[in-house]
């Protein structure tokens, strides 16, 4: 039985500490960071209020407004990873109103519960991994022992007690060799469960959903307990047996119960492109013959305000899930959403457009900065790539200029420019001498991209 876990350690961070952690990966956008930090901290606060009031406190859902490439998705993704909470990201434009062919909004909750159960299962596997590994070693040793048992041990007569000492010693010797990796490249033949089942798409009352036939047929005669033989290396056999032993040690009923509880209490749903299901006006302007956008909003409303959704793990309540919506809102505005849905997103945060100074920080400050990624990639070829401060400034100014003259795609423009800039270096890196040094200076950056920048038509297609 799994004890109901308290909120992860990250949830006990103060809002200032949460913002500090987000700053390691995301530049700027302090208003959005503060909003999500407060929302995460409020979860810890809710767990510490009196029980009779706890169920009355609902999360304050957030709408992030800003153009593409400014960090909306990244903030939500990093927040979920920081909180170690069940997280699912969905595109609002993929859902259709009930009655039309397509995915219905209840599948959001089903996906979240799946993610939550997987999260709890991974935690349990990590907790019992040492014990499962020991049991797996025992099974592998049983396979190896006929080959490794010393032949000098005499066979005892039937009326004498056999001497097992030599065999025990041999088993420990085999275990020592196994842990030292001496058998890693040897092949052994195993009998493993045959879990292969086809995946199909079927029409159901809930819409078009993926159904795993294993869930339907695994207990039927002819399917239950099926085995197949595989010939694998000892190293892979250890992993197969470790997984098999872990499945025996884990109580899946408790895992599913805890996963369902975590989805209800700490689940985070990120709804991207929510502006795509908002019409240009709530009074008829811009309405077309397509599947009703307002209908999808009406279907989302029960989830956001709190309802019960049936999943294969049981009924799941959405009352305390945190919903974070995001959209560019170039044409439609948040005020064009149906009033009931607007009221369920009380916190609105506007993310500012990124400029050259922001791009300089993005290229240098985060732990996963693009320049650091390219340096690490080319280092695997023995190439020492170096970016001067002037080169970083030049890349940032070019990205900002292209965003102004064409479609503004935010920080994603940096990927395009760096790929074009380093195309020749990446192509020729394997042929360079070991220890080759490539210095990227401001002049080299401007010269490499000059032809593309001068031709507006060319830059439209390349940058």
């Amino acid at each position: 039985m799994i004890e109901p876990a308290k909120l992860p350690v990250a949830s006990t961070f103060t809002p200032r500490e949460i913002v500090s952690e987000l700053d390691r990966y995301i530049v700027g956008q302090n208003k959005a960071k503060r909003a999500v930090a407060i929302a995460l901290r409020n979860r810890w606060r809710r767990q510490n209020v009196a029980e009779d009031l706890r169920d009355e406190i609902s999360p304050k859902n957030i709408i992030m407004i800003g153009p593409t490439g400014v960090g909306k998705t990244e903030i939500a993704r990093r927040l979920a990873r920081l909180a170690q909470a069940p997280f699912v990201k969905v595109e609002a434009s993929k859902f259709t109103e009930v009655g039309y062919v397509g995915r219905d909004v209840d599948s959001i909750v089903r996906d979240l519960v799946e993610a939550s159960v997987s999260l709890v299962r991974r935690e349990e596997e990590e907790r019992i991994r040492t014990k499962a590994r020991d049991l797996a070693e025992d099974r592998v040793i049983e396979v190896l022992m006929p080959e490794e048992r010393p032949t000098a041990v005499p066979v005892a007569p039937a009326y004498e007690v056999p001497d097992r000492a030599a065999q025990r010693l041999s088993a420990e010797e085999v275990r020592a060799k196994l842990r030292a990796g001496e058998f890693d490249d040897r092949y052994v033949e195993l009998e493993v469960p045959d879990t292969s089942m086809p995946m199909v798409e079927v029409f159901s009352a809930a819409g078009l959903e993926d159904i795993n036939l294993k869930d339907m047929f695994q207990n039927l005669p002819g399917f239950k307990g099926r085995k197949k033989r595989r010939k694998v290396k000892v190293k892979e056999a250890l992993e197969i047996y470790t997984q098999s032993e872990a499945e025996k040690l884990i109580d899946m009923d408790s895992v599913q119960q805890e996963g369902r509880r975590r989805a209800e209490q700490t689940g985070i749903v990120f709804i991207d492109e929510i502006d795509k299901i908002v019409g240009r006006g709530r009074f008829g302007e811009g309405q077309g013959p397509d599947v009703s956008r307002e209908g999808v909003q009406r279907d989302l409303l029960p989830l956001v305000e709190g309802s019960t959704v049936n999943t294969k793990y049981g009924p799941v309540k959405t009352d305390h899930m945190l919903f974070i919506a995001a959209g560019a809102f170039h044409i439609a505005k948040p005020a064009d959403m149906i009033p009931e849905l607007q009221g369920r997103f009380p916190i609105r945060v506007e993310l500012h457009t990124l400029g050259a100074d922001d791009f300089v920080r993005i290229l240098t400050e985060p732990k996963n900065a693009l320049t650091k990624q390219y340096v690490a990639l080319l280092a695997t070829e023995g190439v020492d790539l170096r970016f001067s401060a002037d080169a970083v400034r030049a890349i940032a100014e070019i990205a900002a200029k292209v965003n102004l003259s064409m479609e503004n795609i935010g920080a994603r423009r940096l990927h395009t420019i760096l790929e074009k800039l380093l195309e020749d270096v990446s192509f020729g890196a394997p042929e360079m001498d070991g220890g080759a040094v490539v210095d990227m200076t401001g002049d080299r950056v401007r010269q490499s991209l000059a032809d593309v920048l001068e031709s507006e038509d060319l830059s439209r297609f390349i940058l």
Side-chain angles (χ1 to χ4, degrees), residues 2-46:
I2 299 175
E3 291 295 330
K6 295 182 179 180
L7 288 178
V9 176
S11 297
T12 64
F13 286 178
T14 66
R16 194 178 305 279
E17 290 171 336
I18 295 170
V19 170
S20 178
E21 284 294 315
L22 293 175
D23 283 341
R24 297 172 60 193
Y25 299 97
I26 303 157
V27 168
Q29 312 301 5
N30 289 325
K31 290 183 179 179
K33 290 176 184 175
R34 287 168 65 94
V36 297
I38 292 170
L40 187 60
R41 182 65 177 183
N42 278 340
R43 296 198 154 192
W44 176 85
R45 292 166 178 160
R46 176 179 166 270

Side-chain angles (χ1 to χ4, degrees), residues 356-369:
D357 291 337
D358 296 311
F359 289 153
V360 170
R361 295 181 61 198
I362 289 171
L363 288 169
T364 55
E365 291 182 11
K367 184 179 179 181
N368 60 338

Side-chain angles (χ1 to χ4, degrees), residues 242-442:
T242 300
Q243 186 68 29
S244 174
E245 293 299 328
E247 289 177 359
K248 296 175 185 176
L249 293 171
I250 293 174
D251 181 1
M252 281 307 298
D253 290 336
S254 298
V255 167
Q256 292 172 10
Q257 182 180 351
E258 174 64 11
R260 193 169 69 242
R261 190 196 69 82
R262 285 200 200 178
E264 291 180 341
Q265 300 297 324
T266 66
I268 299 175
V269 177
F270 182 74
I271 306 175
D272 205 3
E273 308 290 352
I274 197 170
D275 55 317
K276 302 300 188 294
I277 61 168
V278 179
R280 298 185 183 181
R282 286 190 287 109
F283 304 103
E285 303 92 351
Q287 298 296 325
D290 56 343
V291 176
S292 170
R293 297 172 176 178
E294 190 170 308
V296 179
Q297 293 183 57
R298 285 196 301 269
D299 291 343
L300 275 173
L301 183 59
L303 289 189
V304 179
E305 67 183 2
S307 63
T308 301
V309 176
N310 289 319
T311 72
K312 69 179 184 180
Y313 301 111
V316 174
K317 295 182 179 180
T318 68
D319 300 67
H320 301 292
M321 294 178 185
L322 175 64
F323 289 83
I324 302 176
F329 289 99
H330 289 309
I331 301 174
K333 303 301 177 191
D336 295 328
M337 297 166 65
I338 60 174
E340 298 87 349
L341 194 59
Q342 288 185 51
R344 292 296 171 179
F345 287 90
I347 301 175
R348 298 184 186 180
V349 182
E350 188 166 354
L351 285 79
H352 63 79
T353 303
L354 301 176
D357 291 337
D358 296 311
F359 289 153
V360 170
R361 295 181 61 198
I362 289 171
L363 288 169
T364 55
E365 291 182 11
K367 184 179 179 181
N368 60 338
L370 273 179
T371 51
K372 298 176 184 176
Q373 293 179 27
Y374 280 101
V375 168
L377 285 172
L378 289 173
T380 62
E381 302 274 9
V383 176
D384 184 8
L385 178 63
R386 300 172 183 176
F387 289 91
S388 69
D390 188 31
V392 172
R393 169 59 63 175
I395 294 169
E397 289 176 350
I398 290 171
K401 179 180 178 182
V402 175
N403 275 346
L404 285 174
S405 60
M406 289 184 287
E407 189 70 27
N408 186 358
I409 61 172
R412 293 189 177 94
R413 185 72 66 186
L414 295 172
H415 290 267
T416 310
I417 289 176
L418 279 168
E419 278 296 324
K420 179 62 181 173
L421 175 64
L422 298 172
E423 182 179 11
D424 292 338
V425 177
S426 297
F427 187 82
E431 300 161 9
M432 294 182 181
D433 296 332
V437 178
V438 177
D439 286 312
M440 280 292 165
T441 63

Side-chain angles (χ1 to χ4, degrees), residues 128-142 175 238 241-242 245-246 248-249:
I128 53 91
R129 182 169 180 81
T130 302
K131 185 175 182 181
R133 186 76 173 189
D134 290 340
L135 294 171
E137 286 180 356
D138 291 340
R139 293 180 65 178
V140 172
I141 289 171
E142 288 178 8
R175 188 184 299 274
L238 269 174
Y241 278 147
T242 300
E245 293 299 328
K248 296 175 185 176
L249 293 171

